[in-house]
Amino acid sequence: MSVDKCVKYCLGSYYHYAGIEYAIECYCGNELLLDTTGAQLAVCNASDQMLCAGDSVQYCGGSGFMNLYYSEDL
């Protein structure tokens, strides 16, 4: 997994959002839903992130959080 691969996959599947978590997981969607279980938007430190399994110079989220990307283009 890499940032480019996940974003390209999500845009190609007609989703605006791409989220990468735990170095290997890619999620797609068209809206953000409020989570009542305690999930929060937060800024994380680079030391908390994991390097992408498919690109060792990119960060792909971490344990318990994801990097989120948005594009208006489809």
Side-chain angles (χ1 to χ4, degrees):
M1 182 54 55
S2 70
V3 173
D4 299 329
K5 188 174 188 178
C6 181
V7 170
K8 183 177 180 179
Y9 173 79
C10 291
L11 289 176
S13 298
Y14 303 103
Y15 291 105
H16 290 283
Y17 288 97
I20 306 173
E21 183 177 19
Y22 208 67
I24 58 170
E25 300 171 358
C26 177
Y27 300 94
C28 306
N30 280 323
E31 59 186 297
L32 296 178
L33 301 176
L34 294 176
D35 185 341
T36 59
T37 62
Q40 301 175 9
L41 292 177
V43 176
C44 61
N45 297 320
S47 62
D48 296 330
Q49 297 190 47
M50 301 173 88
L51 292 172
C52 298
D55 188 331
S56 63
V57 297
Q58 294 180 332
Y59 290 104
C60 285
S63 178
F65 70 91
M66 71 172 54
N67 292 3
L68 184 65
Y69 300 89
Y70 175 80
S71 176
E72 291 182 6
D73 299 329
L74 288 180

